[in-house]
Amino acid sequence: MKKLYYVFASLMVCNISLAQRSSAFNEITFGNTAYLAKVNVSNDLNTSSDFSNPFHNHSQYNQMVEREMARYQYMASAMVAGTGLDYDVKYYRLELRINPDTSIGKYIRGKVTTYFKNISAGFNVIKFDFAAALACDSVYYHGVKLAANKKVENGDVLEITIPTIIDAGTLDSVSVFYKGVPPAVPDLGGGLGFVKGTHGKRLNYIYTLSEAYSAYTWWPCKSMVTSDKADSMDMIISTPTGFKAAGNGTKVYESTIGNKVLTYWKHRYPISSYQVCTAVANYVQYPTTPTLVNIGGTQMPLYNFIFPETNTTGSQAALNKTALMLTTFSSKYGDYPFKNEKYGHYTFGFGGGMEHNTFSGMSANTYSSSSSWDIIAHELGHQWFGGSVTCGSWRDIWLNESFATYSEIVCAEFAPSITAGQTGLSWRQSMKSKVMSSGNQAQSVYVTDTSSTTTIFTPSVYIYERGAMVLSMLRTLLGDAKFFQALQNYQADSALRYGTALTGDVQRHMENVSGLDLSTFFTQWIYNKGVANYAAAKWNNAGTQLVLQLPQTTLYSTLSHFDMPVAVRIRGAVSTQDTTIIAYDQNGILYYDNDAVLTSDGSNMLSYNLSFVPATITFDGYSQVLANGTFTKDANLPLPSPATPSFRNLISDADYLPDASNDITVTPNPAKDFIMVRAGADIKNMNISIYDNAGRLVKKDQYNNLTNKASIKVSVSKLTPGNYFVEINNGSTKLAKKIIIIK
């Protein structure tokens, strides 16, 4: 979700009688038994390839569910009190009647069928979050209407007593019939929940926006727990003729029966209740024939439901940019996660956008001209970060919002033809300036107050721009190849894909790709406040030899130091002499950073041999990190002795490159007591030599008669902390790997 401004829609009150449900409507979804018996509404127990869920029966999906259940104890401490910790939602079917022109206000009438599995044995009461303003007409269980005393509306909770389910993990279902006027939600200017507004010449429309806790205001569900996704859902909406209904997934049909229109949306991917959406208006579809976008060989439809008055040349130009964004993000994050259904936008009244699975709600102003692009990119980025992999608790909302915000930078950088002159640099500069402001230092990226949607999202700078700049620092540290590989791995992780994640899951994937221990980095930047400062940075040179000193202080923080990458831009006398070097400041010690391969001499100084004489030194010239700095040239800053040998001089560049093609790996890095040298091929003999940073041999071992793909454990416990080089020689190939030894 991205909010730009508040839209206060004027509400009108009118009245029409609600006709009886048509026989055709009943034929589609009559009774709970339809879930098991009818192809057109069945889900995980159906054998039809058209409607069966590809994830529910997959072993990886079941492992994901077990993992989520195990984490519920944590989730309960990370959210407002709610219902549903004793059962796992499997499927929702919403059958709704919505008429924007009703004179009694924003009225809804519906039936919601929920399939679930109880977590504990002896389960006999199922609870749904359900607004007290709504009335539960009746509840059906196994096709039989329960007695009135079996349902209790207790504030904003509906409690339903059912026959005791003896065994844990039993699939069961219940249907709730309800009606009423959904209550207003005061958060974020009243634009959440079930909202009635007008557009054009005072034409009525309805839209929903449930993030974070507002789903319960318009349908009974598990509204307070983001970590429990239904594995799929159906939505059948009845509206008067003249209206179109938006929804998640694939539109199965849109049929006119008398003066009613029935629209059936089918979504066969896991979904959180807050991402379930609908909107009813006199929409027009643009383009009339959906654009087909090739996502990994799948021709996926792309189209939009928009107000007639916004169907302008400028709006069309803005919306047309989505196709290139889809292919751009797919190349960086992995295929668009809902490619078997659709993507598109529908107009609603919230001042910004909201990333409902497959169909993002958008304010008309967000796509009003050919220069519009950032909100479109943001909500599309959410389809990966928020839609496919959803934050497991609202405290970890940055896993949704920061990644979507960073997607704006990715769009500007890798699809510049659609960003109206904005660049990745200009977008980062704006974000960094906002995050570094003294007025934006009150909170951490990790949200501690999740009591309301307002406290989660306000001020937004922490979970949007600050988190995005943390991602920028990770990219700076890891380099492009490893950073985007980590994001693809995160999206493809069978324990996370179409499920939920916590902050530690991102850290794990960044560490797995980089080989670094990032626990301190994440602790400092995600859970703490403040920024770094390098105001006392110095440099000196002797010809092309450059030395840098980067002492760090902190601002607005109780921390005395932030571990972080630092970027230094170096320019010579002519424009072609321009380079940026990356270092990693870890607890005051600077490390040379070659795409997360680190070396150091153990101080806050670094030296470089340049190809030109440096003239100007600029701290973070491309706005990559959360620190400001100023370099001063200091003639007294000592330069290293040129006579000191370095290990790099002892071997060829081809051998030195850590990413050179080979079948030998050295892990862990950093190491403490030992390293493991693993051969990916059949190597019989191997000499392993370890040199310190000055090129001195400190350890040498010979291993003979090795077995296939040998794994050798080499002790380094007696070596002092610092940077070393491991030389591996098998007689035909010599390879060097950088390692760091810590204690």
Side-chain angles (χ1 to χ4, degrees):
M1 178 166 65
K2 186 163 184 178
K3 186 167 183 58
L4 293 182
Y5 46 82
Y6 298 134
V7 172
F8 298 96
S10 60
L11 304 181
M12 298 182 65
V13 181
C14 34
N15 185 32
I16 72 165
S17 63
L18 286 170
Q20 292 295 316
R21 189 179 303 243
S22 71
S23 60
F25 199 27
N26 281 333
E27 286 172 8
I28 299 169
T29 55
F30 180 74
N32 276 20
T33 55
Y35 180 90
L36 302 178
K38 292 193 176 184
V39 170
N40 62 339
V41 294
S42 64
N43 183 38
D44 53 310
L45 299 185
N46 187 7
T47 59
S48 165
S49 61
D50 181 40
F51 281 83
S52 61
N53 189 307
F55 309 106
H56 177 72
N57 293 319
H58 198 286
S59 62
Q60 292 179 343
Y61 178 82
N62 292 327
Q63 291 170 11
M64 180 197 76
V65 171
E66 292 174 3
R67 176 174 175 269
E68 292 306 313
M69 296 302 103
R71 297 199 301 176
Y72 267 6
Q73 182 89 24
Y74 169 79
M75 302 304 178
S77 69
M79 64 186 180
V80 297
T83 61
L85 297 183
D86 52 358
Y87 66 92
D88 171 27
V89 171
K90 308 306 295 181
Y91 165 79
Y92 288 122
R93 183 171 67 250
L94 288 76
E95 303 166 52
L96 308 175
R97 177 158 292 183
I98 300 173
N99 181 1
D101 288 337
T102 179
S103 61
I104 59 175
K106 51 176 188 176
Y107 190 84
I108 189 170
R109 186 167 190 166
K111 169 189 173 186
V112 174
T113 299
T114 303
Y115 269 73
F116 63 92
K117 284 186 177 180
N118 57 307
I119 294 174
S120 301
F123 182 86
N124 70 340
V125 176
I126 185 167
K127 298 179 182 180
F128 297 109
D129 298 304
F130 184 64
L134 301 174
C136 174
D137 280 344
S138 59
V139 175
Y140 279 73
Y141 179 74
H142 292 192
V144 177
K145 184 178 180 179
L146 296 179
N149 63 358
K150 297 293 185 181
K151 62 179 179 67
V152 177
E153 295 183 49
N154 183 10
D156 289 330
V157 176
L158 175 64
E159 301 178 5
I160 302 168
T161 301
I162 60 176
T164 300
I165 302 175
I166 297 175
D167 297 324
T170 301
L171 180 67
D172 211 337
S173 67
V174 66
S175 293
V176 175
F177 290 83
Y178 70 102
K179 63 185 177 183
V181 177
V185 179
D187 292 81
L188 302 184
L192 306 183
F194 187 93
V195 183
K196 182 176 181 179
T198 61
H199 71 93
K201 297 181 179 179
R202 301 194 64 79
L203 298 171
N204 295 316
Y205 74 104
I206 294 287
Y207 75 89
T208 66
L209 199 168
S210 298
E211 192 177 22
Y213 303 122
S214 300
Y216 80 99
T217 65
W218 61 281
W219 63 291
C221 60
K222 189 185 287 190
S223 185
M224 304 298 171
V225 184
T226 183
S227 60
D228 186 11
K229 292 183 171 182
D231 68 356
S232 61
M233 62 164 286
D234 289 300
M235 183 181 289
I236 301 96
I237 308 162
S238 173
T239 67
T241 55
F243 290 99
K244 293 178 75 70
N248 308 95
T250 300
K251 185 167 65 175
V252 179
Y253 61 71
E254 183 180 81
S255 300
T256 300
I257 304 173
N259 63 348
K260 302 293 181 185
V261 177
L262 293 181
T263 307
Y264 175 16
W265 291 98
K266 172 184 77 172
H267 188 48
R268 290 298 178 266
Y269 292 91
I271 186 169
S272 293
S273 61
Y274 83 87
Q275 292 162 329
V276 174
C277 72
T278 190
V280 176
N282 64 326
Y283 290 124
V284 295
Q285 180 177 304
Y286 172 78
T288 305
T289 300
T291 300
L292 296 180
V293 183
N294 188 325
I295 306 293
T298 298
Q299 296 295 325
M300 185 197 72
L302 168 65
Y303 57 91
N304 312 278
F305 283 5
I306 58 180
F307 294 152
E309 68 272 15
T310 67
N311 192 18
T312 64
T313 301
S315 294
Q316 293 174 5
L319 294 170
N320 288 346
K321 297 177 179 182
T322 312
L324 179 54
M325 294 181 189
L326 275 162
T327 55
T328 299
F329 290 168
S330 292
S331 71
K332 295 301 178 184
Y333 306 149
D335 283 358
Y336 170 69
F338 308 115
K339 67 180 183 179
N340 291 325
E341 294 187 352
K342 73 168 188 307
Y343 186 64
H345 315 89
Y346 65 91
T347 311
F348 69 175
F350 185 76
M354 175 61 205
E355 68 282 4
H356 305 115
N357 285 16
T358 75
F359 225 19
S360 292
M362 305 287 282
S363 163
N365 287 342
T366 65
Y367 62 88
S368 60
S369 70
S370 59
S371 63
S372 303
W373 67 273
D374 56 307
I375 307 295
I376 298 174
H378 182 100
E379 305 309 336
L380 177 57
H382 267 310
Q383 299 300 306
W384 285 264
F385 302 99
S388 175
V389 182
T390 309
C391 63
S393 82
W394 292 114
R395 292 184 179 179
D396 297 271
I397 183 62
W398 81 281
L399 299 181
N400 293 12
E401 298 300 344
S402 298
F403 282 84
T405 302
Y406 196 75
S407 294
E408 300 168 32
I409 293 174
V410 172
C411 181
E413 185 172 346
F414 294 101
S417 64
I418 64 177
T419 57
Q422 297 285 354
T423 65
L425 173 58
S426 66
W427 221 243
R428 282 196 310 274
Q429 287 173 331
S430 176
M431 288 186 188
K432 176 177 177 177
S433 176
K434 187 174 183 179
V435 176
M436 295 292 293
S437 167
S438 60
N440 288 328
Q441 306 301 328
Q443 296 177 200
S444 64
V445 172
Y446 188 71
V447 178
T448 56
D449 185 353
T450 61
S451 59
S452 71
T453 302
T454 296
T455 60
I456 293 171
F457 285 92
T458 308
S460 64
V461 62
Y462 303 102
I463 61 174
Y464 286 74
E465 288 87 355
R466 182 178 175 89
M469 287 304 300
V470 171
L471 293 175
S472 176
M473 289 196 290
L474 285 167
R475 181 180 171 189
T476 302
L477 174 61
L478 270 64
D480 273 21
K482 291 181 179 179
F483 175 75
F484 285 111
Q485 185 63 59
L487 295 189
Q488 291 181 28
N489 294 351
Y490 173 80
Q491 286 292 322
D493 187 338
S494 61
L496 307 178
R497 185 168 175 80
Y498 302 113
T500 62
L502 301 175
T503 295
D505 294 309
V506 174
Q507 178 183 332
R508 172 169 54 90
H509 279 288
M510 294 291 173
E511 290 180 333
N512 287 348
V513 167
S514 68
L516 299 176
D517 181 350
L518 297 173
S519 55
T520 301
F521 178 94
F522 272 82
T523 297
Q524 292 174 340
W525 287 109
I526 301 301
Y527 302 104
N528 285 277
K529 309 170 188 177
V531 294
N533 184 36
Y534 291 91
K538 298 178 181 179
W539 71 281
N540 192 16
N541 75 294
T544 59
Q545 189 175 28
L546 171 70
V547 64
L548 304 173
Q549 186 176 48
L550 287 154
Q552 184 198 112
T553 59
T554 63
L555 299 172
Y556 324 115
S557 179
T558 59
L559 298 176
S560 59
H561 186 272
F562 283 101
D563 283 5
M564 64 179 298
V566 291
V568 180
R569 186 179 182 186
I570 306 163
R571 285 173 286 183
V574 298
S575 60
T576 56
Q577 297 172 338
D578 191 336
T579 189
T580 294
I581 59 175
I582 306 298
Y584 189 55
D585 184 349
Q586 189 174 49
N587 198 29
I589 297 176
L590 288 183
Y591 294 82
Y592 297 92
D593 180 8
N594 180 12
D595 291 343
V597 179
L598 308 179
T599 59
S600 174
D601 64 3
S603 73
N604 66 354
M605 297 176 64
L606 292 177
S607 61
Y608 293 86
N609 288 317
L610 303 171
S611 60
F612 58 87
V613 176
T616 61
I617 311 292
T618 305
F619 183 86
D620 195 24
Y622 295 101
S623 296
Q624 297 170 266
V625 303
L626 282 181
N628 287 329
T630 303
F631 274 97
T632 302
K633 185 168 186 180
D634 184 351
N636 295 318
L637 197 64
L639 292 163
S641 171
T644 302
S646 68
F647 186 78
R648 185 164 188 168
N649 300 133
L650 304 180
I651 57 177
S652 70
D653 284 345
D655 287 332
Y656 179 81
L657 288 174
D659 293 328
S661 177
N662 60 81
D663 292 319
I664 300 173
T665 61
V666 179
T667 58
N669 189 15
K672 185 177 181 181
D673 297 317
F674 65 89
I675 58 173
M676 298 297 298
V677 180
R678 293 183 174 88
D682 185 9
I683 297 176
K684 297 298 184 184
N685 304 302
M686 189 182 299
N687 292 326
I688 299 177
S689 304
I690 301 179
Y691 297 81
D692 65 15
N693 202 45
R696 296 182 291 261
L697 179 67
V698 295
K699 185 178 178 66
K700 185 173 183 177
D701 295 291
Q702 183 172 345
Y703 302 87
N704 299 316
N705 301 317
L706 299 174
T707 59
N708 232 0
K709 298 183 179 180
S711 182
I712 302 168
K713 186 175 183 178
V714 180
S715 174
V716 294
S717 60
K718 294 183 179 181
L719 300 182
T720 59
N723 295 280
Y724 293 83
F725 300 85
V726 181
E727 182 188 76
I728 302 139
N729 191 334
N730 68 353
S732 59
T733 302
K734 183 170 67 173
L735 173 74
K737 296 283 190 180
K738 301 178 185 179
I739 65 167
I740 301 172
I741 294 179
I742 59 175
K743 298 298 181 183

